[in-house]
Amino acid sequence: MDETGQSAYCDTADGAPGPAGDDSGGPYADCVLCGEPSEYPESTRGVTLCPVCEWQEAQRTACSG
């Protein structure tokens, strides 16, 4: 935890978990599946997904066992 009592993973003002390294401004990276804007800045490395595709991917991998 940092000096404010929030974990390093809480990037949003309300304390809800946000994307790591979210700068909350500037252009956002496009989703690699549907092309919609993601919650991640363009400087994010790796595969970026919009919230809908991210949720669908989590559902697919959770039920693949």
Side-chain angles (χ1 to χ4, degrees):
M1 290 201 165
D2 63 10
E3 296 139 7
T4 63
Q6 290 183 338
S7 133
Y9 298 104
C10 295
D11 294 330
T12 59
D14 63 356
D22 182 14
D23 63 2
S24 299
Y28 293 99
D30 290 335
C31 175
V32 296
L33 298 178
C34 69
E36 291 293 318
S38 70
E39 297 177 330
Y40 303 97
E42 283 186 344
S43 61
T44 302
R45 301 179 97 188
V47 176
T48 54
L49 300 174
C50 70
V52 173
C53 291
E54 195 169 307
W55 181 82
Q56 290 174 344
E57 184 66 22
Q59 293 297 311
R60 280 192 288 272
T61 58
C63 298
S64 64

